[in-house]
Amino acid sequence: MTNPVPPPRQTLSYLRSLLAGRGLRPKNKLGQSFLIDLNLLDLIVRAAELDREDLIIEVGTGTGGLTARLADQAGSVLSVEIDPGFHELANRVLRDRTNVFLMRADILHGKNELNAEVLARLTELRASATRLKLVANFPYAVATPVISNFLLSDFTFERMVVMVQWEIAERFAARPSTKDYGALSVLIQSLADVEIVRRLTPASFWPRPLVDSAIVLIRPNAAKRAHVGDPQRFRVFLRDLYVHRRKNLRVALSNSPSGRRPKEEVDKQLTELGIDGTLRAEALDLEQHLRLSRIFGQAGIKQDPAAS
């Protein structure tokens, strides 16, 4: 049995030559920017802490440069690519790697739903792996919904090592009462531990994006998830609460999109919770959001007759 060809050095000259030979060009509408700093590719792989017990799902195969590095150390890699041209290119580059499984598909079915065919294939491969990890240089448009939906899913990830837009990384890790703190921050941090591994400049990519990027390590936390209880219900509550981000809690909770409540009832419940109704949601810590959700989440809604 022959060993697979070592992964190519994904330098700028290599990428230009590879794509020109196939008549391909990066598509801005798909957010196709390729990492050309080899040290950063190695950093992603190190942060993933791979071994042969791991199944990796990668979103955005691209030219297969990161895929090959993952396959060198992981047990198997399921890589999903939406672009038919790059899918065919990756098939050629990775054809000798028997532990790589490529899918040409959109990872998302709508904004808040993962592609059922991808999930079915992931479930099939998961049966023979000890650990599941997400490792991806994300097309920026899909990063937030993919990460959120996988965190909310029934799949148990040991970790996620993801390349995202710097602005998104800031939101993932934001603290209360800061400009980046909001529903996404609360949801991610209530289900996982978040660490920004490295900030990257546009010069690390080709073509250069217009913004900085970041490598982020997300470790799903089973104890946190159990404390949340119903993550989907919590997500809906946060969505509704932050519709009125600039309103205070008393107003936001009284006028929830899921159902209006009498202000007197809201005042009484906030007092019982020991939470000041004149605060905005962005001033609350994770535990305060969870306490609010248990009282004001969908299951606790009572329609205000006067609002009908």
Side-chain angles (χ1 to χ4, degrees):
M1 181 178 178
T2 59
N3 292 324
V5 177
R9 292 173 57 82
Q10 189 164 291
T11 60
L12 177 56
S13 59
Y14 166 79
L15 287 176
R16 282 178 167 163
S17 175
L18 181 67
L19 269 59
R22 303 285 292 188
L24 295 173
R25 290 188 299 175
K27 297 180 179 67
N28 183 60
K29 68 178 182 179
L30 294 179
Q32 291 174 336
S33 289
F34 304 102
L35 192 59
I36 56 174
D37 187 320
L38 303 179
N39 292 325
L40 293 174
L41 277 171
D42 291 339
L43 177 59
I44 293 172
V45 174
R46 288 199 305 273
E49 295 188 3
L50 302 173
D51 67 33
R52 292 302 182 188
E53 300 298 315
D54 294 332
L55 164 62
I56 309 300
I57 180 165
E58 178 190 25
V59 178
T61 315
T63 62
L66 176 58
T67 317
R69 282 173 166 77
L70 298 173
D72 281 344
Q73 298 183 34
S76 54
V77 180
L78 173 62
S79 189
V80 183
E81 173 60 56
I82 192 173
D83 187 300
F86 280 95
H87 174 72
E88 291 178 11
L89 172 61
N91 262 309
R92 182 172 67 85
V93 171
L94 301 164
R95 62 180 178 268
D96 295 327
R97 296 181 180 272
T98 58
N99 64 336
V100 172
F101 305 90
L102 302 179
M103 289 188 71
R104 184 169 73 85
D106 188 338
I107 186 65
L108 292 173
H109 176 70
K111 182 178 180 181
N112 286 316
E113 187 177 349
L114 294 164
N115 185 325
E117 292 183 2
V118 175
L119 297 183
R121 187 67 170 124
L122 185 61
T123 299
E124 179 184 339
L125 294 170
R126 181 72 178 90
S128 58
T130 301
R131 287 179 297 274
L132 175 62
K133 298 176 180 179
L134 170 66
V135 184
N137 175 13
F138 271 112
Y140 290 152
V142 304
T144 296
V146 172
I147 293 167
S148 299
N149 282 311
F150 269 131
L151 277 176
L152 289 162
S153 75
D154 294 331
F155 288 99
T156 302
F157 284 86
E158 191 276 333
R159 71 181 59 200
M160 302 176 176
V161 181
V162 295
M163 183 92 68
V164 298
Q165 186 174 333
W166 174 250
E167 178 185 351
I168 299 300
E170 287 185 300
R171 291 170 65 192
F172 284 169
R175 312 312 300 172
S177 299
T178 61
K179 67 179 180 65
D180 298 305
Y181 187 73
L184 180 63
S185 317
V186 176
L187 180 66
I188 299 294
Q189 293 175 37
S190 293
L191 297 172
D193 303 316
V194 180
E195 175 189 347
I196 296 178
V197 177
R198 183 75 60 86
R199 184 170 183 168
L200 286 66
T201 68
S204 301
F205 299 87
W206 177 77
R208 292 190 180 192
L210 299 177
V211 296
D212 283 4
S213 306
I215 300 169
V216 181
L217 172 59
I218 300 172
R219 295 177 183 265
N221 186 311
K224 284 186 173 184
R225 187 183 182 97
H227 188 53
V228 169
D230 184 342
Q232 291 286 358
R233 180 173 177 266
F234 188 48
R235 178 195 216 175
V236 172
F237 169 74
L238 292 174
R239 179 200 66 194
D240 290 350
L241 181 65
Y242 279 85
V243 164
H244 303 288
R245 182 184 177 96
R246 298 305 173 192
K247 303 292 185 180
N248 66 37
L249 289 171
R250 182 173 186 262
V251 174
L253 293 168
S254 298
N255 296 284
S256 171
S258 293
R260 302 187 67 182
R261 305 170 178 84
K263 287 187 172 62
E264 296 77 11
E265 178 185 328
V266 171
D267 290 339
K268 179 176 181 295
Q269 290 171 323
L270 286 172
T271 298
E272 291 173 355
L273 289 171
I275 297 176
D276 184 353
T278 66
L279 294 174
R280 293 176 177 174
E282 61 202 40
L284 305 182
D285 61 24
L286 302 182
E287 184 60 30
Q288 288 172 313
H289 279 90
L290 285 167
R291 286 160 57 197
L292 283 177
S293 176
R294 293 183 185 118
I295 299 299
F296 295 100
Q298 282 187 328
I301 291 175
K302 297 178 181 179
Q303 188 69 31
D304 180 1
S308 301

